[in-house]
Amino acid sequence: MQSAVSVLGIPIAPLTMEESVSVIDGLIKNKKPSLIATANAEMVMMAQQDNVLADILRSAALVVPDGAGVVWAARQLGRPVPQRVAGYDLVQKLLSVSGHKGYRLYFLGAAPGIAAKAKLYAEQKHPGVAIVGVRDGYFQPADEDAVIAEITECRPDILLVALGVPRQEKWLANNLGRLRVPVVMGVGGTFDVMAGVVTRAPAWMQQSGLEWLYRLLKQPHRALRMLALPRFVMKVLLAKK
Ligand code: UDP
């Protein structure tokens, strides 16, 4: 594989969607627990302040360019990546591959009832896919051992976790050894979209790099977090040689 592209110190894989899926397929076959992350500008900016998150991303098996901002930054820094690999789309591809190859998935996270609805959606879209367990993301620290025991008993090949950034990445990194799942991945709002409680931006907005604007308009509580975006742009422009 080509070496990763460093965007403000975070290694981004210069892979297409298809190549990313094929790398993940290899990781599943390999069976060594591997963490996948989907980086957008907000996550990269968070990692500038949060060393734990930065270390997790630096030692992840794969970090894909989830957001248009990261794709733009790689181009600005002289190491373009072939395309955006949005976490939501990557999950849909993995569900399709899993349906064909018999991989087992576990969905952990989001509000009560959402992961179960996301499971129904996945089963309708990808007949034959094995979602072997679901659990919401509002468990207490005291329940953590039980949550992990439940996941390991289901023996998934892929564990998708929606607890929000950076909690999901930290939870997965802390528990990677105990979970014994070949591929684990933080998926943010993916289950909410699959369950139909949050809508994704229309295709034209996604293609013109405006998905962040749609999210801001639909979920105005994100405004404060999104102040990271102009700071990201400034930092990338300053880092340009
Ligand atoms: N969430 C959760 N437990 C928590 C906090 C959040 O399961 O304690 C879920 C939340 O319901 C949502 C997801 O984590 O489904 C985070 O989605 P968001 O779109 O905010 O993702 P981010 O932008 O943080 O990747």
Side-chain angles (χ1 to χ4, degrees):
M1 206 205 310
Q2 250 188 319
S3 66
V5 177
S6 171
V7 171
L8 304 182
I10 302 306
I12 307 294
L15 300 176
T16 62
M17 174 65 81
E18 211 178 312
E19 290 163 344
S20 305
V21 170
S22 141
V23 167
I24 295 173
D25 193 22
L27 293 170
I28 294 171
K29 294 198 172 99
N30 183 290
K31 297 217 184 303
K32 182 173 159 248
S34 301
L35 189 148
I36 318 287
T38 69
N40 59 16
E42 269 179 55
M43 189 194 263
V44 171
M45 285 310 280
M46 229 181 252
Q48 308 299 302
Q49 317 281 338
D50 182 339
N51 288 332
V52 174
L53 176 63
D55 284 345
I56 292 170
L57 297 177
R58 285 189 199 117
S59 50
L62 184 69
V63 183
V64 297
D66 171 60
V70 171
V71 175
W72 168 84
R75 195 175 341 111
Q76 291 295 317
L77 297 166
R79 288 277 321 271
V81 294
Q83 65 180 152
R84 182 178 172 212
V85 179
Y88 181 86
D89 297 327
L90 181 56
V91 167
Q92 307 315 305
K93 296 274 183 204
L94 290 176
L95 287 166
S96 166
V97 169
S98 297
H100 292 118
K101 300 208 173 185
Y103 296 148
R104 300 155 65 86
L105 293 104
Y106 192 104
F107 291 178
L108 171 67
I114 298 292
K117 273 197 185 152
K119 172 181 185 310
L120 285 179
Y121 172 87
E123 287 165 346
Q124 268 170 9
K125 280 262 177 184
H126 309 282
V129 74
I131 319 270
V132 293
V134 299
R135 173 152 192 159
D136 72 74
Y138 289 83
F139 53 88
Q140 299 302 313
D143 300 331
E144 198 158 296
D145 288 349
V147 171
I148 291 172
E150 190 184 306
I151 296 170
T152 53
E153 269 162 35
C154 292
R155 292 180 295 103
D157 299 292
I158 304 176
L159 168 64
L160 303 181
V161 176
L163 298 173
V165 178
R167 190 172 154 219
Q168 60 198 25
E169 285 72 23
K170 291 183 180 176
W171 193 85
L172 284 171
N174 281 338
N175 296 306
L176 196 60
R178 282 169 79 196
L179 285 161
R180 285 179 276 125
V181 178
V183 163
V184 305
M185 175 172 157
V187 296
T190 294
F191 299 151
D192 295 311
V193 177
M194 288 171 71
V197 294
V198 170
T199 49
R200 258 192 107 190
W204 71 267
M205 281 187 108
Q206 290 182 37
Q207 277 145 24
S208 39
L210 290 175
E211 191 157 18
W212 61 272
L213 178 61
Y214 183 86
R215 289 187 101 181
L216 178 61
L217 296 172
K218 284 278 180 171
Q219 299 172 290
H221 62 269
R222 287 180 174 272
L224 207 62
R225 291 171 47 172
M226 283 196 167
L227 288 176
L229 301 184
R231 289 194 294 114
F232 174 78
V233 170
M234 286 306 298
K235 226 173 151 59
V236 169
L237 293 176
L238 286 171
K240 256 172 99 164
K241 287 187 198 98

